[in-house]
């Protein structure tokens, strides 16, 4: 088990480093100059004092060779310092810390709804003995995956805000203001969870151990939840880990549609202004959340199926 945990931790560190490195290279290769954009705010770029540009490039380190910039940025990121925003001059860490609570609240609520709705739909669809109902329920996840997130958000706003007046359409107004944005994010995510879990459940219900449990007198509900669902949940857990990154990316659209403050709006503004330090900070934070979630899922796997640790140990011994 110790070797399994160390291996997963090493993989997590490698993913974080790769994500930060790729984002640094891509952002530095983009056309345009963020310092020029900042210095020329509100005036023609030709009127900017060249001496001011030189001073700003030196202040933000853009006059150094790329490798030196990378080493400085990576060293700062490892200590939690991503520098200052080119657009606002505020520390990137403070900018992200101000926006983080709202985004974490939104993505956590969306993930919880996605797991509950997607898992419940998959269990109900595979448990029912009515063929027409099963086909109807199994046809919903592909529909949920194919519908654009912004369209779902606009539809929910039109129905539950403008027509029924149940929830506010915009802003960060407590729990009521969280319902529609979280549901908007949860629909495509929950649909993917339902697709994978339903397929795994149908496969598990055809296995020999399920027939053995039935032969021993276990009722359908016990067989479905205790025997089949435990083994079928492994692929769904993997999908949930991958979907965390999708939720963070989807928050950009959802926070824009619902005019919510958060990392999504910070990211959109930073990309528009070519604010490289802020974008790198957002990428690093997103990678950290993604890696942490998948690490937790990797550590939960052995609790559901101890054979995973055994198989990992055998592969390590053979290597």
């Amino acid at each position: 088990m110790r070797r399994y945990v160390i291996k997963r931790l090493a993989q997590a560190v490698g993913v974080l480093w790769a994500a930060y490195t790729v984002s640094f290279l891509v952002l530095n290769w983009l056309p345009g100059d963020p310092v020029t954009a900042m210095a020329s705010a509100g005036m023609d770029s030709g009127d900017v004092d060249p001496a001011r540009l030189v001073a700003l490039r030196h202040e933000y380190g853009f006059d150094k060779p790329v490798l030196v910039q990378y080493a400085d940025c990576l060293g700062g990121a490892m200590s939690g310092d991503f520098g200052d925003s080119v657009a606002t001059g505020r520390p990137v860490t403070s900018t992200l810390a101000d926006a983080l609570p709202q985004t974490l609240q939104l993505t956590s609520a969306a993930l919880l709804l996605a797991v509950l709705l997607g898992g419940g739909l998959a269990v109900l669809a595979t448990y029912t003995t009515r063929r027409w109902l099963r086909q109807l329920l199994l046809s919903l996840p592909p529909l949920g995956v194919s519908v654009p997130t912004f369209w779902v958000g606009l539809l929910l706003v039109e129905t539950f805000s403008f027509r029924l007046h149940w929830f506010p359409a915009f802003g960060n107004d407590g729990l009521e203001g969280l319902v529609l944005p979280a549901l908007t994010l949860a629909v495509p995510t929950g649909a993917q969870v339902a697709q994978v879990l339903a397929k795994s459940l149908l496969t598990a219900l055809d296995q020999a151990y399920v027939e053995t449990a039935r032969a021993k007198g276990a009722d359908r509900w016990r067989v479905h939840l205790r025997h089949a669902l435990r083994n079928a949940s492994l692929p769904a857990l993997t999908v949930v880990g991958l979907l965390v990154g999708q939720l963070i990316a989807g928050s950009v659209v959802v926070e824009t549609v619902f005019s919510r403050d958060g990392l999504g709006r910070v990211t959109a503004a930073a990309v528009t202004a070519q604010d490289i330090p802020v974008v790198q900070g957002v990428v690093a934070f997103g990678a950290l959340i993604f890696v942490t979630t998948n690490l937790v899922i990797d550590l939960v796997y052995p609790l559901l199926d101890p054979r995973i640790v055994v198989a990992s140990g055998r592969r390590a011994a053979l290597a």
Side-chain angles (χ1 to χ4, degrees):
M1 183 67 181
R2 181 183 302 174
R3 182 179 296 176
Y4 177 82
V5 173
I6 293 174
K7 181 180 179 181
R8 292 298 181 270
L9 285 173
Q11 290 176 346
V13 173
V15 171
L16 284 174
W17 170 79
Y20 187 83
T21 301
V22 171
S23 68
F24 177 87
L25 295 175
V26 170
L27 290 171
N28 279 272
W29 286 341
L30 288 175
D33 183 3
V35 172
T36 302
M38 177 180 64
S40 61
M43 66 180 70
D44 193 302
S45 59
D47 297 333
V48 179
D49 184 4
R52 175 170 168 76
L53 292 179
V54 172
L56 287 173
R57 289 194 179 95
H58 178 74
E59 179 183 348
Y60 287 95
F62 291 123
D63 58 342
K64 299 178 182 179
V66 174
L67 290 180
V68 176
Q69 291 184 45
Y70 172 72
D72 291 343
C73 291
L74 183 60
M78 292 176 65
S79 62
D81 181 12
F82 294 94
D84 297 332
S85 168
V86 176
T88 64
R90 293 187 61 203
V92 173
T93 305
S94 299
T95 301
L96 299 183
D98 291 343
L100 179 59
Q102 295 296 335
T103 298
L104 281 182
Q105 186 182 53
L106 173 61
T107 54
S108 299
L111 184 61
L112 178 62
L113 282 175
V115 172
L116 292 177
L117 295 177
L121 179 62
V123 170
L124 182 60
T126 53
Y127 182 79
T128 182
T129 56
R130 299 180 180 181
R131 184 178 179 85
W132 67 269
L133 181 57
R134 171 176 293 187
Q135 294 299 325
L136 175 62
L137 294 176
L138 291 179
S139 66
L140 295 179
L143 178 62
V145 172
S146 62
V147 174
T149 303
F150 73 90
W151 186 85
V152 174
L154 294 176
L155 180 63
L156 291 176
V157 168
E158 173 66 23
T159 303
F160 295 102
S161 295
F162 297 154
R163 293 183 181 272
L164 300 178
H165 306 287
W166 288 358
F167 303 102
F170 310 108
N172 301 60
D173 299 331
L175 184 60
E176 290 186 352
L178 183 64
V179 173
L180 295 185
L183 190 57
T184 301
L185 268 180
V187 167
T189 306
Q192 294 181 61
V193 172
Q195 277 185 313
V196 174
L197 184 58
K199 184 176 180 180
S200 299
L201 273 171
L202 291 174
T203 301
L205 289 170
D206 289 333
Q207 300 300 312
Y209 66 85
V210 172
E211 295 298 330
T212 302
R214 290 170 178 164
K216 290 182 178 180
D219 57 59
R220 288 186 65 236
W221 193 245
R222 180 182 178 86
V223 169
H224 209 85
L225 293 184
R226 181 165 183 177
H227 296 279
L229 182 60
R230 179 173 180 176
N231 291 286
S233 62
L234 291 176
L237 273 177
T238 303
V239 170
V240 169
L242 297 175
L243 291 177
V244 169
Q246 179 176 311
L247 286 174
I248 296 175
S251 67
V252 177
V253 177
V254 171
E255 288 177 357
T256 300
V257 171
F258 290 92
S259 297
R260 291 180 59 89
D261 296 326
L263 283 180
R265 298 188 72 181
V266 169
T267 304
V271 171
T272 302
Q274 295 184 343
D275 197 341
I276 293 178
V278 174
V279 176
Q280 286 181 327
V282 171
V283 170
F285 172 76
L288 178 62
I289 296 296
F290 178 81
V291 165
T292 302
T293 304
N294 281 272
L295 179 61
V296 171
I297 289 175
D298 283 342
L299 297 180
V300 170
Y301 278 160
L303 301 179
L304 297 175
D305 190 351
R307 294 173 299 176
I308 292 177
V309 177
V310 176
S312 178
R314 287 177 178 174
R315 287 195 297 269
L318 292 175

